[in-house]
């Protein structure tokens, strides 16, 4: 290849036959993000190529982790005026429009993450090839930050794959893999990694016309189907967000339908969405998530996991570990008790891993082990048996002599004291809490609990949680830790409202209108009213439980698992009545105990600071993300700025 002018972030190499390779390798960063500096240099590259057009241009990434993860998120925090917001959108819109209009053929060679502005860059190319590997993921996730894809995604994606599929991607932020990208026509082909360069060369020089939506998919972008599809999309958004807490989805529909995907033609929407409190708070949530991910860095040294207890939690933890590539042995007293966990695991692998061979390989990694032979080989033993101190301690006495040197011992307890559980252990510092949430496959947070002296084990456990693709939250040993400790007073206050005569539907409707994913009484039914009663007594200082809770437990009405609690349950769904009119201030009454307890846990150093507490409550309970978290929400009510204070940033 011939050397050409170099830039800080881009490297341009031209082969003797005139084919050019443009390599993005953002300086000083582990991943590629499209900062103002990176974009300015790309403009300079295009200037250079205008003077001497190549035979074809292939754009690829030098980062092993992926293509481009999106725009530089830090630059959104500095958008103080409508003019700032417009300038940011205009920069990407014009640059990618220029790339789309070049005379020579262009190709985006995609591996790993291709998100947000990275996908908009790829859409501006004539062709796209994706690596046929598990880590490949394409998405326009801007809606999850409360904004929209403003650099051409709302124009080019519907034109490429049709409006219904494009709106689904843009309104959900959902990631698609290489197989799905090729099936949709978003990628020209998925190619084995070893053949990518050869396939890219052949494709960019092929002279084939660029892909476009065809048939009904093409008609979906034209009147009258355009209006019909937009109307249906608005109804879907209204059903999911009836209170309008998240304005970005409706803005995406409007800009696609009425402004040809060009946000610059809708300045009123552009400034209102990008500078909205929702966008600022969702940006805060993104940064909080990145901070949690920072705790997952490092090596855990864990390759074999042994899980004891094949109930719902233990079985699903074991399945998730196998899904993530770990060797797993699953122990319970009999094969009959293990069998339901294996059945659920098979369903998980089939649902998540579309390739039958990959699903089979995951299933082969999950080994039933009723005799517990895996204890001696495991790098980590996770105990997920009944919530009884004596039972857990008896198990530890039995298995500790068989643990290999350096093996971690973890408990999935949701509330028991680690200081008590580790009494009698020869090496008490190896015990950590690893509190997963149900359902394991969907809930992103894992509380990692350390009693005094076991901080090294906690750090290793956090790294293991990162291996599983979860978010570790380090907390200190205390009743209920963080998540259950804040949920208990919230659910108990809801039950006191029922004692006062309010219908469960009315109570829950007030909180779903506030922005919670489900109401506190439906949540109590889901957890189990017997568990809620026990936790409430422990976390409320043995105070008298609400009468409506005690009466239902006495009748054996324990919630979803028995078919009746605060609701009747059919097919795992509550049968609802009509919600009555909520008394003024009901939502604030219910949410106040949760916020108070969150603050108390920060004040007593159970969780390190307010930002981590907000992160834990959002990702552990679904607390309305548009608020920025419970403590940030209280600050905004007290007259604090709606602009989020920047959480401490993880090291880059």
């Amino acid at each position: 290849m011939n050397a050409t002018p170099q830039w800080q972030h881009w490297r341009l190499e031209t082969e003797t036959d005139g084919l050019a390779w443009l390599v993005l390798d953002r300086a000083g960063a582990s991943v590629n993000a499209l900062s103002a500096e990176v974009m300015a240099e790309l403009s300079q590259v295009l200037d250079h190529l205008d003077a001497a057009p190549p035979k074809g241009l292939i754009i690829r990434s030098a980062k092993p982790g992926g293509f481009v993860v999106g725009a530089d998120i830090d630059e959104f925090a500095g958008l103080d005026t409508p003019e700032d917001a417009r300038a940011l959108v205009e920069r990407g819109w014009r640059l990618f429009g220029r790339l789309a209009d070049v005379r020579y053929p262009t190709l985006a060679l995609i591996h790993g993450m291709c998100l947000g502005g990275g996908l908009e860059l790829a859409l501006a190319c004539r062709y796209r090839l994706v690596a046929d590997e598990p880590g490949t993921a394409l998405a326009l996730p801007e809606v999850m930050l409360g904004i929209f894809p403003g650099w051409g995604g709302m124009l080019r994606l519907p034109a490429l794959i049709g409006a219904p599929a494009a709106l689904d991607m843009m309104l959900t932020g959902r990631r698609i893999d290489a197989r799905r990208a090729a099936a949709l026509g978003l990628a020209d082909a998925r190619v084995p990694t070893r053949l990518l360069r050869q396939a890219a060369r052949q494709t960019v020089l092929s002279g084939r016309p660029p892909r476009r939506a065809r048939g009904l998919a093409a008609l979906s972008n034209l009147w009258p189907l355009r209006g019909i599809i937009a109307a249906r999309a608005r109804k879907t958004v209204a059903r999911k967000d009836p209170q309008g807490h998240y304005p970005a989805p409706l803005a995406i529909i409007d800009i696609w339908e009425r402004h040809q995907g060009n946000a610059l033609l809708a300045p009123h929407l552009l400034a209102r969405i990008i500078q909205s409190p929702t966008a600022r708070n969702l940006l805060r949530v993104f940064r909080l998530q990145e901070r949690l991910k920072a705790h997952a860095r490092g090596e855990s040294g864990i390759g074999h996991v042994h899980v004891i207890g094949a109930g719902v939690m233990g079985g699903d933890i074991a399945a998730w570990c196998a899904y993530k590539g770990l060797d797993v042995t699953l122990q319970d007293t009999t094969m009959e008790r293990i069998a339901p966990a294996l059945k659920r695991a098979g369903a998980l692998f089939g649902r998540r891993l579309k390739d039958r061979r990959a699903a089979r390989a995951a299933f082969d990694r999950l080994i039933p082990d009723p005799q517990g032979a895996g204890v001696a080989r495991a790098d980590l033993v996770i105990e997920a048996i009944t919530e009884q101190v004596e039972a857990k301690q008896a198990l530890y006495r039995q298995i500790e002599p068989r643990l290999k040197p350096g093996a971690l011992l973890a408990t999935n307890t949701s509330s028991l004291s680690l200081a008590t559980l580790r009494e009698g252990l020869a090496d008490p510092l190896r015990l950590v809490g690893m509190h997963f949430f149900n359902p394991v496959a969907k809930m992103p947070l894992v509380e990692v609990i350390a009693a005094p002296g076991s901080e090294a084990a906690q750090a290793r456990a956090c790294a293991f949680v990162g291996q599983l693709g979860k978010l570790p939250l380090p907390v200190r040993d205390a009743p209920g830790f963080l998540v259950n400790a804040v949920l208990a007073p919230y659910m108990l206050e809801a039950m006191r409202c029922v004692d006062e005569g309010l219908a469960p539907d009315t109570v829950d409707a007030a909180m779903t209108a506030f922005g919670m994913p489900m109401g506190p009484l439906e949540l109590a039914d889901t957890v189990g009213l017997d568990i809620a009663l026990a936790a409430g007594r422990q976390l409320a200082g043995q105070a008298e439980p609400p009468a409506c809770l005690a009466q239902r437990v006495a009748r054996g009405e324990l919630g979803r698992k028995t078919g009746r609690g605060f609701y009747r349950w059919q097919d795992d769904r509550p049968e609802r009545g009509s919600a009555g009119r909520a008394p003024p201030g009901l939502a604030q009454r219910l949410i106040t105990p949760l916020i108070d307890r969150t603050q108390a846990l920060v004040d007593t150093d159970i969780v390190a600071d307010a930002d981590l507490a907000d992160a834990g409550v959002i990702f552990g309970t679904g607390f309305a993300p548009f608020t920025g978290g419970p403590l940030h929400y209280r600050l905004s009510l007290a007259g604090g700025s709606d602009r989020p204070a920047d959480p401490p940033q993880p090291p880059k």
Side-chain angles (χ1 to χ4, degrees):
M1 293 188 179
N2 297 326
T4 55
Q6 301 300 302
W7 294 267
Q8 182 179 7
H9 305 291
W10 296 91
R11 185 170 69 253
L12 183 63
E13 300 165 340
T14 305
E15 295 182 349
T16 55
D17 64 356
L19 180 66
W21 294 76
L22 181 60
V23 183
L24 177 56
D25 190 3
R26 189 184 181 197
S30 59
V31 296
N32 288 326
L34 298 176
S35 65
E37 191 174 65
V38 170
M39 300 279 274
E41 285 193 359
L42 177 56
S43 181
Q44 295 169 20
V45 172
L46 295 180
D47 289 341
H48 174 80
L49 294 175
D50 281 346
K55 194 172 182 180
L57 178 68
I58 298 171
I59 302 176
R60 70 173 183 87
S61 163
K63 303 296 187 186
F67 185 67
V68 180
V69 297
D72 187 335
I73 210 73
D74 291 335
E75 294 182 359
F76 286 94
L79 302 180
D80 295 318
T81 67
E83 292 74 23
D84 292 336
R86 179 181 177 84
L88 178 71
V89 172
E90 187 170 15
R91 179 180 73 205
W93 174 269
R94 295 194 182 283
L95 180 60
F96 291 167
R98 182 182 174 192
L99 175 61
D101 291 339
V102 297
R103 292 173 289 167
Y104 44 87
T106 55
L107 181 145
L109 188 57
I110 299 166
H111 75 279
M113 297 296 178
C114 179
L115 310 177
L119 182 52
E120 292 183 290
L121 169 62
L123 287 167
C125 294
R126 184 178 300 182
Y127 310 108
R128 285 153 299 282
L129 294 183
V130 292
D132 191 9
E133 56 187 34
T136 298
L138 292 78
L140 291 176
E142 287 85 353
V143 71
M144 300 171 74
L145 293 177
I147 56 177
F148 46 71
W151 291 351
M154 291 185 287
L155 167 69
R156 297 188 181 94
L157 187 62
L160 185 63
I161 65 173
L167 285 173
D168 180 69
M169 286 186 66
M170 294 189 292
L171 296 177
T172 64
R174 187 178 295 122
R175 297 181 181 186
I176 63 173
D177 60 13
R179 182 194 62 83
R180 181 65 175 155
L184 282 174
L186 176 51
D188 291 83
R190 55 182 174 131
V191 181
T193 303
R194 70 183 186 279
L195 301 177
L196 275 176
R197 292 180 66 93
Q198 177 184 345
R201 162 181 269 281
Q202 291 174 348
T203 302
V204 79
L205 299 177
S206 67
R208 294 201 310 258
R211 280 180 175 266
R212 289 289 182 268
R214 296 180 178 180
L216 190 59
L219 293 175
S220 67
N221 288 294
L222 303 176
W223 184 90
L225 283 183
R226 190 183 190 92
I228 295 171
I229 291 168
R232 288 179 178 173
R234 289 188 184 96
K235 287 182 180 178
T236 300
V237 169
R239 187 167 60 249
K240 293 181 178 179
D241 181 25
Q243 304 299 320
H245 293 305
Y246 300 91
L250 290 177
I252 289 171
I253 299 168
D254 284 350
I255 293 169
W256 167 72
E257 181 194 14
R258 298 168 181 168
H259 304 286
Q260 294 76 52
N262 185 354
L264 297 173
L265 299 177
H268 60 295
L269 284 176
L270 192 157
R272 179 166 65 86
I273 297 300
I274 291 182
Q275 294 187 291
S276 68
T278 295
R280 296 192 187 282
N281 285 333
L282 292 179
L283 174 60
R284 167 183 168 79
V285 173
F286 174 82
R287 287 174 163 170
L288 292 175
Q289 178 176 288
E290 292 301 299
R291 187 172 173 205
L292 291 177
K293 287 180 180 179
H295 288 288
R297 292 176 182 162
E299 294 295 328
S300 72
I302 294 170
H304 179 184
V305 179
H306 183 81
V307 180
I308 304 176
V312 171
M313 288 304 297
D316 289 0
I317 291 168
W320 189 259
C321 291
Y323 167 66
K324 285 295 183 177
L326 294 154
D327 294 325
V328 184
T329 42
L330 177 59
Q331 179 181 352
D332 213 310
T333 52
T334 65
M335 274 301 300
E336 288 74 19
R337 295 180 68 91
I338 298 174
L342 298 179
K343 182 178 180 180
R344 292 195 309 275
L348 171 72
F349 302 150
R351 189 170 62 250
R352 294 262 181 168
L353 298 167
K354 307 300 183 184
D355 186 303
R356 290 184 180 180
R357 290 171 298 179
R360 182 72 248 179
F363 201 80
D364 289 344
R365 288 192 293 268
L366 179 56
I367 302 169
D369 184 16
Q371 303 304 318
V375 170
R377 303 192 305 272
D379 306 303
L380 167 67
V381 174
I382 301 176
E383 164 270 302
I385 66 170
T386 182
E387 282 285 272
Q388 295 179 0
V389 171
E390 295 79 9
K392 291 180 186 292
Q393 288 179 329
L395 175 66
Y396 300 162
R397 287 193 296 271
Q398 177 187 352
I399 66 173
E400 187 183 20
R402 299 163 56 200
L403 295 177
K404 70 181 186 181
L408 283 181
L409 175 61
T411 175
N412 186 51
T413 181
S414 59
S415 59
L416 298 177
S417 165
L418 263 70
T420 301
L421 290 177
R422 72 183 188 178
E423 290 175 358
L425 283 174
D427 182 5
L429 301 187
R430 79 194 317 163
L431 179 68
V432 294
M434 207 175 286
H435 181 212
F436 290 79
F437 295 89
N438 190 26
V440 172
K442 292 184 178 179
M443 295 298 288
L445 190 78
V446 178
E447 290 179 304
V448 183
I449 306 102
S454 60
E455 289 77 13
Q458 183 184 44
R460 191 176 165 201
C462 284
F464 168 72
V465 170
Q467 277 181 261
L468 299 183
K470 302 289 186 183
L471 302 173
L473 175 69
V475 294
R476 288 177 52 199
D477 189 19
F481 316 128
L482 172 68
V483 173
N484 283 350
V486 305
L487 282 178
Y490 167 62
M491 291 191 291
L492 291 173
E493 190 65 24
M495 294 173 194
R496 293 187 187 99
C497 291
V498 174
D499 282 351
E500 294 169 12
L502 287 178
D505 284 293
T506 301
V507 175
D508 279 355
M511 294 317 301
T512 54
F514 175 82
M516 302 294 270
M518 68 172 64
L521 299 173
E522 182 183 346
L523 177 61
D525 266 6
T526 302
V527 169
L529 299 190
D530 51 339
I531 295 172
L533 178 62
R537 281 176 172 154
Q538 181 182 13
L539 298 172
Q542 302 300 319
E544 192 69 22
C548 63
L549 174 62
Q551 291 164 3
R552 283 171 169 80
V553 172
R555 295 195 298 263
E557 298 172 358
L558 306 182
R560 184 175 67 179
K561 60 188 173 185
T562 61
R564 185 164 184 171
F566 285 100
Y567 297 95
R568 288 183 180 273
W569 289 77
Q570 286 285 346
D571 300 322
D572 276 347
R573 293 180 179 275
E575 294 181 352
R576 301 190 181 282
S578 57
R581 185 179 181 85
L586 177 59
Q588 289 302 318
R589 171 185 170 180
L590 294 172
I591 213 69
T592 296
L594 184 154
I595 298 174
D596 288 344
R597 181 62 62 87
T598 305
Q599 185 63 60
L601 293 172
V602 173
D603 293 342
T604 53
D605 295 326
I606 302 306
V607 63
D609 54 52
D611 289 320
L612 277 182
D614 276 347
V617 178
I618 290 170
F619 292 107
T621 74
F623 189 95
F626 74 91
T627 66
L631 299 183
H632 185 73
Y633 172 69
R634 170 172 282 178
L635 178 65
S636 68
L637 289 183
S641 170
D642 64 17
R643 178 187 290 274
D646 289 343
Q649 295 297 295
K652 294 186 177 180

